[in-house]
C-alpha cells in the first residue's frame, strides 16, 4: 500500500462495531488504527496524529465528547477532522450544542456508503490528493484520480515517487518539509531509504517540472529541507 494513504483512527469500545468499521475503511484503501476507549485514543493521537478520527460518543470513562474537546483544544491536533458517531439524533443535537468542535456527525446505525462519503469529504479538505482530488498551484495542475500532471496545460511525465512528492508539496504550498518528513510521507517509515535519495528524486521532479520552461517552483531551504513556493 502506498505510504501516503490516509490514516484513520477508529475510537469505539464495542469490538464488533469497531471491526466492521475497520474492515470497511481498509477496503476503501485507508490505513486504520484502533482505540477501545478515550484514554487510549488521546495517547495514540499524541504519539502520531492520524489524518482523520471516527469517534464514538458512547465510550467508557472519558466520553467521545470529552475526547473531541481535548483534541480540538490542542494546537497540534486541532486540524485533524473528527467525525462523531452517536446513537440518536437528539444526541447529535446535544453534541452540536456543546460545541465540541467535531467536524461532522453520523447517526447510528449508519449506512457504510454514507459514512465513507463523509470520511472522503473531510479528507478532500485536509488531504485532497489522497481522495481523488485535483490540486492546483500556479500553472501546475495535479489530478490524483487520473495521476496526470500538467504545467501551463502541457502534460508532464513523472515517475510514481515524483508524483507522490509533488502531491505532498501541493497539499501544503509554502510548508517546509525536512528530508525525514518527506521520507516518511512518500516512502513510508518502515522502508529504509537514505535521505540522499530524497535529493535525487527532488532533482528529477525539478527537471520534469521545468522541462517545457517555467521557473523552478521548488525551494531548497538550507539546513531545513524543501518547499513548494
Ligand atoms: Ca460505544
Amino acid at each position: 500500500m502506498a505510504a501516503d494513504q490516509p490514516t484513520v483512527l477508529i475510537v469505539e469500545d464495542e469490538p464488533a462495531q469497531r471491526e466492521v468499521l475497520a474492515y470497511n475503511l481498509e477496503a476503501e484503501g485507508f490505513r486504520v488504527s484502533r482505540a477501545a476507549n478515550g484514554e487510549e485514543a488521546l495517547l495514540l493521537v499524541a504519539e502520531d496524529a492520524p489524518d482523520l478520527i471516527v469517534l464514538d460518543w458512547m465510550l467508557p470513562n472519558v466520553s467521545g465528547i470529552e475526547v473531541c474537546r481535548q483534541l480540538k483544544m490542542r494546537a497540534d491536533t486541532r486540524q485533524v477532522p473528527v467525525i462523531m458517531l452517536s446513537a440518536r439524533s437528539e444526541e447529535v443535537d446535544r453534541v452540536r450544542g456543546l460545541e465540541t468542535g467535531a467536524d461532522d456527525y453520523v447517526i447510528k446505525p449508519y449506512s457504510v456508503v454514507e459514512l465513507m462519503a463523509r470520511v472522503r469529504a473531510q479528507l478532500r479538505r485536509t488531504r485532497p490528493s489522497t481522495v481523488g482530488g485535483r490540486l492546483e498551484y500556479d500553472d501546475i495542475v495535479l489530478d490524483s484520480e487520473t495521476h496526470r500532471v500538467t504545467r501551463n496545460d502541457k502534460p508532464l511525465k513523472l515517475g510514481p515517487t515524483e508524483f507522490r512528492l509533488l502531491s505532498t508539496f501541493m497539499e501544503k504550498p509554502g510548508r517546509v518539509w525536512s528530508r525525514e518528513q518527506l521520507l516518511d510521507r512518500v516512502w513510508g517509515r518502515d522502508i529504509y531509504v537514505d535521505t540522499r535519495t530524497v535529493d535525487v528524486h527532488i532533482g528529477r521532479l525539478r527537471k520534469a517540472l521545468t522541462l517545457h520552461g517555467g521557473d523552478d517552483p521548488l525551494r531548497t531551504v538550507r539546513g531545513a529541507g524543501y518547499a513548494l513556493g
Side-chain angles (χ1 to χ4, degrees), residues 125-209:
R125 194 167 57 77
T126 54
R127 300 240 8 229
S129 75
T130 62
V131 285
R134 192 180 136 100
L135 295 171
E136 286 184 38
Y137 175 81
D138 200 8
D139 56 354
I140 304 168
V141 178
L142 179 148
D143 186 322
S144 65
E145 202 153 26
T146 59
H147 270 237
R148 286 210 177 95
V149 181
T150 59
R151 183 163 194 193
N152 198 13
D153 297 324
K154 293 190 187 84
L156 301 182
K157 269 194 140 170
L158 298 184
T161 303
E162 286 70 40
F163 183 86
R164 287 208 292 276
L165 266 174
L166 184 61
S167 321
T168 301
F169 284 123
M170 286 182 75
E171 277 180 4
K172 292 191 170 68
R175 169 180 167 166
V176 179
W177 296 83
S178 71
R179 289 171 178 80
E180 288 75 17
Q181 286 168 333
L182 289 171
L183 277 177
D184 217 41
R185 180 59 85 88
V186 175
W187 281 265
R189 66 187 61 214
D190 303 330
I191 301 164
Y192 179 76
V193 184
D194 195 271
T195 50
R196 284 184 52 196
T197 307
V198 177
D199 301 335
V200 171
H201 287 275
I202 291 279
R204 287 184 194 159
L205 178 57
R206 283 191 155 129
K207 205 172 160 192
L209 288 172

Side-chain angles (χ1 to χ4, degrees), residues 11-14 17 36 55-60 85 108:
V11 191
E12 166 67 86
D13 57 318
E14 284 145 77
Q17 292 197 26
L55 177 61
D56 188 36
W57 149 303
M58 292 296 281
L59 295 169
L85 301 178
K108 288 179 174 180

Side-chain angles (χ1 to χ4, degrees), residues 10 12 14-24 26 34:
I10 302 169
E12 166 67 86
E14 284 145 77
Q17 292 197 26
R18 192 167 63 234
E19 288 318 305
V20 167
L21 196 45
Y23 174 85
N24 284 298
E26 278 169 354
R34 302 159 171 85

Side-chain angles (χ1 to χ4, degrees), residues 47-121:
E47 222 168 76
D48 189 13
D51 292 308
L52 182 137
I53 302 169
V54 179
L55 177 61
D56 188 36
W57 149 303
M58 292 296 281
L59 295 169
N61 305 321
V62 186
S63 75
I65 297 169
E66 186 51 32
V67 172
C68 188
R69 194 179 285 139
Q70 288 195 31
L71 292 171
K72 294 296 177 184
M73 256 162 41
R74 282 171 32 186
D76 54 335
T77 54
R78 185 175 297 148
Q79 73 291 352
V80 179
V82 174
I83 298 179
M84 191 89 113
L85 301 178
S86 91
R88 293 188 303 274
S89 56
E90 307 89 80
E91 287 180 351
V92 166
D93 293 339
R94 260 182 72 203
V95 185
R96 283 210 182 96
L98 288 167
E99 287 174 4
T100 53
D103 299 270
D104 203 356
Y105 311 85
V106 173
I107 297 164
K108 288 179 174 180
Y110 53 82
S111 98
V112 170
V113 175
E114 192 200 343
L115 182 62
M116 293 303 145
R118 305 281 191 100
V119 166
R120 276 193 294 271

